[in-house]
Amino acid sequence: MWTHRSWQGRLVAHPLPAHERLRHYASWCTAVEGNTTFYATPSRDTVASWARQTDPDFRFVVKLPKIVTHEGRLNDVDEPLRVFLDAIEPLGPRAHALWIQLPGAFAPHDVPALARFLRRLPTAHRYAVEVRHPAFFTESRSTQLLERVLATAAAEWVPFDTTAFFQAPPSSDAERDAWIKKPRLPLRTHALTDRPIVRYLGRDDTAQTVEGWQRWVDVTAQWLREGRSPTVFIHTPDNADAPVLARRFHDDVRARVPGLAALPEPIPAEPLTLF
């Protein structure tokens, strides 16, 4: 996700041609969730355009198509998987991880299917798995089962932290919509690899969002001290200020770990003038 109506003309220039939008986003943040690939596999030309707009160290966490994860449930999906892997090849080193988001119905008894799927994947990529069945978070045997399978494949477990969001009833249309759609799961802060990935959902209220991410500032700083290279995505129900909040989170972590590089200077949303 790198375009949002409320960002246009305020955080990024407007109008922008399609081949410039990601470049402007990349001046705000150095990673992006490739969520659109869940709905349809893009063409190689489209992906090549994404590569041209970003530096080689920019991070794409690209979601596998729903035909693979939700409709096929990881079974008999060789052809759509092949098409997807071919399409994202132009990203090269920018493909930080391929994101396997599984439906809430994917339960512990389905883990063998995940293990078989991970064994068939090319080793040229890193993989990150997001699960939403409560048993993976509340039953130690299920937690350990999934962790063993992921560790065997050197894959990461992606937590989607919604605990701060669900602390109080919704107070806006965007929060009411998220209240229905977002998973309500226990907090998980354990990393399996040297490249942890975190998804965090705050509130429309900035103070509540910042208060809720303090634990992630601590965890992320510790990961960096351990030599890990984490990627953290900051969301709110309306995402109106998500890039600004992401930079604020980065600044909070950098205050704990001064050696962390600064983010780039954003491209001005409006042309600079002399007066």
Side-chain angles (χ1 to χ4, degrees):
M1 181 177 120
W2 55 79
T3 61
H4 197 283
R5 182 175 297 177
S6 67
W7 303 348
Q8 296 175 7
R10 185 169 64 92
L11 303 182
V12 297
H14 179 73
L16 278 173
H19 64 273
E20 284 286 322
R21 294 170 188 165
L22 176 55
R23 185 173 73 86
H24 281 243
Y25 168 89
S27 73
W28 280 88
C29 301
T30 55
V32 72
E33 291 180 349
N35 194 50
T36 59
T37 54
F38 178 72
Y39 301 100
T41 296
S43 69
R44 279 179 64 98
D45 286 346
T46 295
V47 177
S49 171
W50 300 348
R52 287 193 296 271
Q53 294 178 67
T54 52
D55 293 333
D57 59 354
F58 186 85
R59 298 179 176 187
F60 285 85
V61 178
V62 190
K63 191 184 290 188
L64 265 64
K66 64 179 179 179
I67 191 174
V68 173
T69 56
H70 287 55
E71 296 171 12
R73 297 289 291 271
L74 309 181
N75 295 300
D76 301 320
V77 293
D78 288 354
E79 181 57 19
L81 178 63
R82 182 196 65 78
V83 172
F84 171 77
L85 292 173
D86 180 70
I88 66 165
E89 191 273 335
L91 289 179
R94 299 166 185 81
H96 184 71
L98 304 191
W99 172 19
I100 305 167
Q101 185 186 77
L102 297 169
F106 188 93
H109 66 259
D110 295 307
V111 170
L114 174 62
R116 291 191 297 272
F117 181 75
L118 290 172
R119 283 197 297 268
R120 298 199 307 271
L121 292 174
T123 57
H125 292 289
R126 286 179 176 247
Y127 301 94
V129 176
E130 180 184 338
V131 292
R132 295 188 171 188
H133 193 287
F136 290 117
F137 299 84
T138 60
E139 298 176 3
S140 60
R141 290 182 61 183
S142 299
T143 302
Q144 292 167 12
L145 173 64
L146 180 58
E147 287 184 342
R148 284 197 300 270
V149 166
L150 295 178
T152 299
E156 188 55 82
W157 181 334
V158 181
F160 185 18
D161 179 14
T162 60
T163 56
F165 173 72
F166 283 112
Q167 282 183 349
S171 59
S172 68
D173 287 344
E175 289 189 348
R176 281 185 281 273
D177 185 60
W179 194 268
I180 296 169
K181 295 179 178 178
K182 302 304 181 184
R184 189 182 304 211
L185 296 168
L187 178 68
R188 175 184 168 84
T189 61
H190 179 60
L192 300 179
T193 73
D194 63 346
R195 293 189 184 187
I197 298 170
V198 175
R199 307 181 67 228
Y200 168 79
L201 176 66
R203 302 281 300 205
D204 284 344
D205 180 77
T206 296
Q208 292 177 328
T209 297
V210 172
E211 180 182 359
W213 78 33
Q214 292 308 310
R215 63 168 66 92
W216 288 113
V217 172
D218 294 337
V219 170
T220 303
Q222 182 58 36
W223 282 339
L224 288 165
R225 296 186 191 105
E226 293 170 357
R228 303 180 196 252
S229 184
T231 305
V232 180
F233 295 108
I234 303 296
H235 292 275
T236 63
D238 63 9
N239 278 321
D241 292 317
V244 177
L245 290 167
R247 293 178 70 89
R248 179 169 174 177
F249 179 86
H250 185 275
D251 287 343
D252 286 357
V253 174
R254 196 164 177 242
R256 307 280 185 89
V257 187
L260 180 63
L263 290 172
E265 191 67 26
I267 298 172
E270 297 180 358
L272 297 175
T273 63
L274 296 177
F275 305 99

